[in-house]
Amino acid sequence: MSLLNQLFNRGVFGAKCKTCLSLAISRIKLLQNKRDLQLKNMRKEIAQFLQAGQEPIARIRVEHVIREQNIWAAYEILELFCEFVLARVPILESQKDCPPELREAVASIIFAAPRCSDVPDLLQIKNLFATKYGKEFVIAATELRPDSGVNRAIIEKLSVSAPSGEIRLKVLKEIAQEYSVEWDSSGTEAEFNKKYEDLLAGSKQVCAEAAVSQAPSKQASGKSSPSNGAKTILPADARPASQHHQVPSHVGKLTRSEIEPSVKNGTAGPISDIKTETNSRPSDVLERARAAIASAERATAAARAAAELVNVKFGSLKLQGASS
């Protein structure tokens, strides 16, 4: 029973594979003819832009032209691989593993299937190879694992990376020569040879220079004496600069023994101001408290006088009522 199933599956695989490969070949030929016409029109438009002096637009459009040319070249290679596999479908049916001479063609078709959405037949062929050789074989070709066997030209033509400046300049020169356009390529060469990484390096260099320029200004401001003539007294461990390369963090914090002589001599202007401010703050608070207490006492005295007046009026009213 298993032998019959194997024979039946072989026949189904061979028939489906031949059908899908034939459809893929015919569809690729139609797409090549369509893209060929599109490429001619696009190249002609770029020649018109170069002739009109609109080089920035031509530089942008040429990337699309290169992309279409790469896809066209990839379709041409895929067409050859499909014809090669179609002629050897009986060999694929008879062997359990993929033959070494067909590995490159099979792996390249599997790799290109999800990247060529215009040819849905390649996805069906990929699914047939997945059922035949297993998912690991398909994943190795799709993810470009070592020894996957995918054709190098297919990988380069179906790459999504932007073309280099040399390739774009070369295609622009070919288009100008093809349509006999007198075009000076010096401006475009200078634009393509620009290294945009230098802009990032320049900004970093500017920031570094600004930081370096700020460092000496900070040191100068730290060494300068106060404007009121006060002499800043440093601790003993911060005075010899040759012995300590780094200034301690407690520089500028004066001890009480160092402050008192300066206060007596009248040289510590800022410190005396701070002390007077700290001493004046509690006196202000006490004066405000005393004023609040006095106002409260006045309010209570006024309330008592008002209560007494009310009592007197109420008593007089009672006497008038009793006499009547």
Side-chain angles (χ1 to χ4, degrees):
M1 190 68 181
S2 60
L3 182 61
L4 293 175
N5 289 332
Q6 290 178 1
L7 293 173
F8 180 74
N9 290 332
R10 285 180 183 176
V12 171
F13 171 79
K16 287 184 177 181
C17 193
K18 287 180 180 179
T19 304
C20 293
L21 287 169
S22 301
L23 291 174
I25 291 168
S26 60
R27 196 184 298 273
I28 287 172
K29 288 180 179 179
L30 291 174
L31 290 172
Q32 279 183 317
N33 295 331
K34 183 179 178 181
R35 288 183 183 275
D36 196 8
L37 294 174
Q38 290 178 352
L39 279 171
K40 287 181 180 178
N41 294 329
M42 292 167 65
R43 291 170 72 91
K44 187 177 180 180
E45 289 178 356
I46 291 175
Q48 292 175 357
F49 286 131
L50 292 176
Q51 192 171 6
Q54 297 179 352
E55 293 186 13
I57 300 176
R59 292 172 199 153
I60 297 172
R61 294 287 185 90
V62 76
E63 293 186 11
H64 190 46
V65 170
I66 294 169
R67 174 66 178 165
E68 292 294 325
Q69 288 179 352
N70 290 338
I71 295 175
W72 190 91
Y75 281 169
E76 188 175 7
I77 299 171
L78 286 173
E79 182 184 358
L80 296 175
F81 281 151
C82 289
E83 291 176 352
F84 182 69
V85 174
L86 180 61
R88 289 162 177 79
V89 170
I91 299 176
L92 295 176
E93 285 184 310
S94 61
Q95 297 183 15
K96 183 179 180 181
D97 297 329
C98 183
E101 64 274 11
L102 293 173
R103 187 178 183 85
E104 182 181 5
V106 172
S108 299
I109 292 171
I110 292 171
F111 173 79
R115 294 166 176 82
C116 298
S117 58
D118 295 336
V119 190
D121 305 304
L122 295 178
L123 288 173
Q124 297 181 6
I125 298 171
K126 174 187 173 183
N127 294 331
L128 290 174
F129 287 145
T131 57
K132 175 72 175 177
Y133 301 119
K135 292 182 178 180
E136 289 295 327
F137 182 83
V138 174
I139 292 172
T142 305
E143 297 180 355
L144 294 176
R145 292 181 181 178
D147 300 331
S148 60
V150 181
N151 184 265
R152 184 68 183 176
I154 289 286
I155 298 172
E156 293 177 356
K157 299 300 180 182
L158 295 179
S159 176
V160 296
S161 60
S164 62
E166 296 178 357
I167 296 174
R168 286 183 286 174
L169 183 62
K170 181 181 177 181
V171 174
L172 285 173
K173 288 181 178 180
E174 290 176 356
I175 293 171
Q177 186 177 2
E178 181 182 356
Y179 290 91
S180 303
V181 177
E182 294 182 359
W183 171 57
D184 185 12
S185 61
S186 59
T188 303
E189 288 180 5
E191 184 68 23
F192 287 156
N193 291 330
K194 277 185 180 179
K195 294 182 179 180
Y196 295 97
E197 291 79 8
D198 293 343
L199 298 176
L200 299 176
S203 63
K204 291 179 181 178
Q205 187 175 0
V206 169
C207 294
E209 290 176 357
V212 171
S213 63
Q214 288 177 2
S217 64
K218 289 182 180 179
Q219 293 176 0
S221 63
K223 292 180 181 179
S224 62
S225 59
S227 59
N228 57 359
K231 297 180 181 180
T232 56
I233 303 171
L234 298 178
D237 54 352
R239 289 173 185 172
S242 60
Q243 296 178 1
H244 301 281
H245 297 285
Q246 295 181 354
V247 180
S249 60
H250 60 275
V251 171
K253 294 183 179 179
L254 304 178
T255 60
R256 187 174 180 181
S257 60
E258 291 172 339
I259 292 172
E260 289 178 354
S262 62
V263 172
K264 291 179 180 178
N265 296 328
T267 58
I271 298 171
S272 61
D273 294 340
I274 294 169
K275 285 188 175 183
T276 54
E277 288 179 1
T278 55
N279 293 330
S280 63
R281 287 176 185 174
S283 61
D284 294 339
V285 174
L286 289 173
E287 289 177 0
R288 291 176 184 175
R290 289 172 183 172
I293 292 169
S295 62
E297 290 177 353
R298 292 171 188 171
T300 53
R304 288 174 184 173
E308 290 177 358
L309 289 173
V310 170
N311 292 330
V312 170
K313 289 182 179 181
F314 185 71
S316 63
L317 290 173
K318 281 186 177 181
L319 292 172
Q320 290 177 4
S323 62
S324 61

